[in-house]
Amino acid sequence: MTRIFSGVKPTGHLTLGNYLGAVRQWVAADQEPDEALFCVVNLHALTVEHDPARVRRLSRQAATLLLAAGLDPQRCTLFVQSHVDEHTRLSYLLECTATDGELRRMIQYREKAAKSLGAGEGVRLSLLTYPVLMAADILAYGTQEVPVGEDQRQHVELTRDLAVRFNQRYGHTFTVPKATHPAVAARVMDLQDPGSKMGKSHESGAGIVYLLDEPGVVRKKVMRAVTDGGDGVVHDRAARPGVANLLDILAACTGTAPEVLAEGYSGYGALKRDVADAVVELLRPVRERHTELAGDPGAVEAVLREGAERARGLARPVVDRAYEAIGMLAP
Ligand code: TYM
């Protein structure tokens, strides 16, 4: 058995990018509850300007959607990060392991900090230390694999560096994890701006397919996707990013390689129609199940409570060991 851990942060409605890049891999991992842990990482939603009521609402919605997408509480542990204190406890020890320089190099920090400054807002210190908390999320569970989209690669690399450094300084404490990515659609791009990732916290929703979008809305977004100049349908991410993105999405839905799919189309219209149909069908069961589950919030809360209990039991001994190894007196 391989211990896996991954998470999603409730900063916006979940997107097709989250689903294809991450959540689908989580659902496919046939596991035992102690071996597969999935977390709504709500503390990470506090690193940029936030509205408390919205974070609460989105956290509940994310948990409900993960269950709707097929996470089975009999086969995995689903919980909310703030319910398990071990994450922040461990984060501090890892802050004492990481350096200011390596955190300032993180691409997501640089992009988001620039955005906050551009909007005349301060940059929260937690935005800088965020990857350390993420490392704590992962290392607290002796995680071996972290199924994530491509954009999280650098954060998982940092996690590995911190684990190795801690182990070298204080004796073997942490398992060194590795990131895993889906074969296609590890980086789903914005339909209106295929040069940037489809991200749930972007302001404009026109290029973002949300998991809870109505079929008509999904169709409209896909049909209006920006394609590239040039003739014919070819899969070339550098020269034709818009078309390549549509082919990648279709490939993820159908299981056929994007290069092979490209050969079947002579124009963008037919490709877009097929992508729209495939995405609508992919999301239909998730939306339907979400409606059912949202009608019984008590059941979702019970899953999260049990999940937190189990997660705490797994994380506590690892974090206690780390406290002792780094030089803290045992309580
Ligand atoms: P977040 O909430 O931005 O995204 C959740 C997961 O979805 C993937 N993803 C994508 N994959 C493909 N194409 C896209 N356009 C796309 N957008 C998002 C992300 O790669 C991620 O796997 N820092 C993390 C949350 C986190 C975490 C963790 C993850 C906190 N602690 C520990 C793993 C382990 C984040 O912001 O993900």
Side-chain angles (χ1 to χ4, degrees):
M1 274 279 168
T2 306
R3 173 76 58 95
I4 66 180
F5 178 97
S6 201
V8 61
K9 73 184 183 291
T11 44
H13 300 286
L14 264 62
T15 70
L16 182 64
N18 296 131
Y19 185 71
L20 294 179
V23 176
R24 213 159 62 142
Q25 275 50 249
W26 308 353
V27 173
D30 205 273
Q31 294 277 9
E32 312 242 329
D34 282 1
E35 299 301 333
L37 296 110
F38 303 109
C39 189
V40 176
V41 286
N42 53 351
L43 295 170
H44 288 280
L46 309 182
T47 54
V48 288
E49 288 287 314
H50 79 285
D51 166 15
R54 183 165 187 265
V55 170
R56 232 172 268 131
R57 207 168 48 240
L58 288 172
S59 301
R60 218 170 279 128
Q61 188 192 68
T64 310
L65 262 172
L66 292 178
L67 292 170
L71 286 188
D72 175 355
Q74 305 299 319
R75 289 178 20 224
C76 71
T77 297
L78 175 64
F79 69 106
V80 174
Q81 184 187 31
S82 64
H83 291 171
V84 181
D85 291 342
E86 270 57 37
H87 295 235
T88 46
R89 264 183 85 211
L90 179 56
S91 187
Y92 181 71
L93 299 196
L94 297 177
E95 281 184 24
C96 300
T97 310
T99 67
D100 176 67
E102 66 193 340
L103 289 176
R104 286 187 197 281
R105 277 198 296 277
M106 293 290 121
I107 296 163
Q108 290 207 346
Y109 168 71
R110 293 162 74 125
E111 287 175 356
K112 289 186 181 167
K115 206 166 134 200
S116 294
L117 288 171
E121 290 161 5
V123 178
R124 293 187 181 180
L125 183 56
S126 54
L127 187 67
L128 181 64
T129 56
Y130 168 119
V132 177
L133 178 58
M134 174 163 165
D137 299 337
I138 296 168
L139 298 181
Y141 295 96
T143 304
Q144 292 161 293
E145 288 186 2
V146 189
V148 282
E150 184 69 43
D151 62 318
Q152 297 301 318
R153 185 187 290 269
Q154 194 186 29
H155 291 159
V156 180
E157 276 303 311
L158 175 78
T159 304
R160 291 168 59 84
D161 290 346
L162 296 181
V164 168
R165 195 176 305 157
F166 192 103
N167 288 347
Q168 276 168 353
R169 283 186 190 159
Y170 310 115
H172 185 80
T173 308
F174 298 122
T175 304
V176 181
K178 68 167 199 268
T180 59
H181 309 287
V184 277
R187 190 177 184 82
V188 178
M189 308 308 272
D190 188 292
L191 298 177
Q192 286 299 315
D193 175 14
S196 14
K197 157 188 105 161
M198 185 184 282
K200 57 175 133 53
S201 2
H202 291 182
E203 301 79 34
S204 148
I208 306 167
V209 174
Y210 295 104
L211 299 190
L212 292 178
D213 277 346
E214 302 278 340
V217 174
V218 174
R219 275 182 213 287
K220 203 187 282 171
K221 288 177 176 173
V222 174
M223 295 311 288
R224 289 186 183 164
V226 168
T227 40
D228 322 288
D231 288 332
V233 174
V234 288
H235 188 260
D236 181 342
R237 282 203 189 96
R240 313 275 290 277
V243 174
N245 190 37
L246 291 173
L247 286 166
D248 283 342
I249 294 171
L250 189 58
C253 296
T254 60
T256 306
E259 298 79 5
V260 175
L261 288 170
E263 289 166 13
Y265 295 97
S266 53
Y268 298 149
L271 171 63
K272 286 180 174 177
R273 270 193 299 280
D274 285 357
V275 172
D277 285 345
V279 174
V280 164
E281 287 317 311
L282 184 77
L283 300 186
R284 188 186 302 284
V286 180
R287 276 186 61 236
E288 286 174 359
R289 185 88 181 104
H290 177 269
T291 308
E292 281 169 35
L293 289 167
D296 188 2
V300 177
E301 271 165 35
V303 168
L304 296 177
R305 241 191 333 270
E306 251 177 63
E309 185 101 2
R310 204 176 304 130
R312 241 177 260 129
L314 292 169
R316 188 163 298 150
V318 179
V319 178
D320 283 350
R321 242 188 349 264
Y323 265 74
E324 218 170 291
I326 207 169
M328 299 296 99
L329 288 176

